[in-house]
Amino acid sequence: MSSKVKFYSKEFSSRLLIGSALYPSPKIMQDAIKAAGSEIVTVSVRRESAGGKTGDAFWSLIRELKVTVLPNTAGCKSVREAVTTAKLARELFNSSWIKLEVIADDETLQPDVVGLVEAANILIKDGFEVFPYCTEDLSVAMKLVDAGCKVVMPWASPIGSARGIVNRDALKLLRQRLPDITLVVDAGIGAPSHAAEALELGYDAVLLNTAIAKANDPVAMGNAFRLAVEAGRAGFESGLMGARDFASPSTPVVGTPFWHAVS
């Protein structure tokens, strides 16, 4: 890729963040992450804290990849639960990074944006570097930035839906209004083209899990997403042409000779 992406004080070459759940086997998980070239992997704090020997084995597999771990508060439904889980993550992983999730609805897994902002405020004051999972709402994103978040992670569409970006204009507005914030499209990415579109909009990275883990060939799909993210970012940095409402010939006709049949 042509440039690096910064998450708080750390820089990375890959703009593809990957989740570690749902893979057919630990070996396939490792191979898919390697094929994707991802340098940051999200890990569920709940699985690690409740996994016993299984959790220890999983953590060993993650360490072998030599990636940066981004623990998350997946499944938390209250501010108190999310804050407690984040503090546990800091002890388990010896990291101030936390992907903050506070879920409002079991069916859509939509974030509780009020609770999210409250939890972010608490954690940032406690020294955490917060990666908040939110909707594409500008006012929520601005409140998270005001709280001290230097990374904001709006969804493309609900988690696991594979619908891709459903509110393109809102995501474009977020990018325009928060030019100095690292923005990551998180959730709803179902195809490499969805990831490329997010990077073409100027987003700094994408985070996904299901689209790779549940593919017929997760390793090949990991590679496909790697290429898509690289292409999307290269397109953005090269300067994409704007869409038009009218045709514009690619071959000029001025000065071009025309032949007419002679009867």
Side-chain angles (χ1 to χ4, degrees):
M1 259 172 265
S2 57
S3 63
K4 292 190 175 184
V5 57
K6 189 173 184 178
F7 295 102
Y8 288 94
S9 61
K10 298 180 179 180
E11 289 188 338
F12 297 86
S13 297
S14 175
R15 295 173 181 271
L16 177 58
L17 288 67
I18 297 183
S20 56
L22 305 176
Y23 292 89
S25 73
K27 178 66 164 56
I28 291 176
M29 177 196 72
Q30 284 187 314
D31 291 345
I33 291 172
K34 290 176 183 177
S38 181
E39 297 169 289
I40 300 175
V41 175
T42 63
V43 175
S44 170
V45 179
R46 289 188 164 195
R47 175 166 62 181
E48 285 303 291
S49 60
K53 292 182 178 180
T54 301
D56 290 341
F58 174 80
W59 180 224
S60 295
L61 292 172
I62 294 295
R63 279 200 301 266
E64 289 175 6
L65 291 168
K66 301 187 185 308
V67 294
T68 296
V69 171
L70 175 59
N72 67 52
T73 64
C76 292
K77 299 180 181 179
S78 69
V79 172
R80 181 178 179 180
E81 189 178 12
V83 169
T84 300
T85 303
K87 290 181 177 180
L88 176 59
R90 184 161 58 184
E91 294 181 14
L92 284 171
F93 299 103
N94 191 31
S95 172
S96 61
W97 279 18
I98 190 70
K99 183 191 173 193
L100 181 61
E101 299 182 26
V102 184
I103 301 302
D105 179 68
D106 288 336
E107 184 174 344
T108 64
L109 299 179
Q110 178 167 323
D112 172 0
V113 294
V114 175
L116 182 70
V117 173
E118 182 181 347
N121 271 288
I122 293 170
L123 292 172
I124 288 169
K125 289 176 182 177
D126 194 25
F128 282 89
E129 294 177 316
V130 177
F131 295 61
Y133 162 63
C134 59
T135 63
E136 73 278 27
D137 186 278
L138 175 62
S139 64
V140 173
M142 292 177 70
K143 284 181 171 61
L144 290 166
V145 172
D146 289 342
C149 294
K150 295 182 180 180
V151 178
V152 176
M153 306 177 74
W155 68 358
S157 50
I159 293 174
S161 68
R163 294 172 62 192
I165 296 173
V166 298
N167 196 341
R168 182 183 175 91
D169 289 341
L171 289 182
K172 286 178 64 177
L173 181 61
L174 277 180
R175 180 68 286 174
Q176 292 167 4
R177 295 292 298 276
L178 301 173
D180 300 322
I181 300 299
T182 300
L183 295 180
V184 182
V185 171
D186 175 18
I189 299 293
S193 58
H194 299 161
E197 181 182 8
L199 272 292
E200 288 171 358
L201 288 175
Y203 274 70
D204 297 285
V206 294
L207 192 158
L208 57 110
N209 187 173
T210 310
I212 292 178
K214 289 295 187 180
N216 291 335
D217 186 339
V219 178
M221 188 61 77
N223 184 58
F225 270 101
R226 177 184 63 81
L227 295 171
V229 167
E230 291 177 356
R233 183 65 187 184
F236 170 75
E237 292 183 349
S238 300
L240 298 165
M241 69 175 290
R244 305 179 183 186
D245 292 328
F246 53 88
S248 176
S250 58
T251 301
V253 296
V254 176
T256 302
F258 292 88
W259 286 269
H260 297 277
V262 178
S263 56

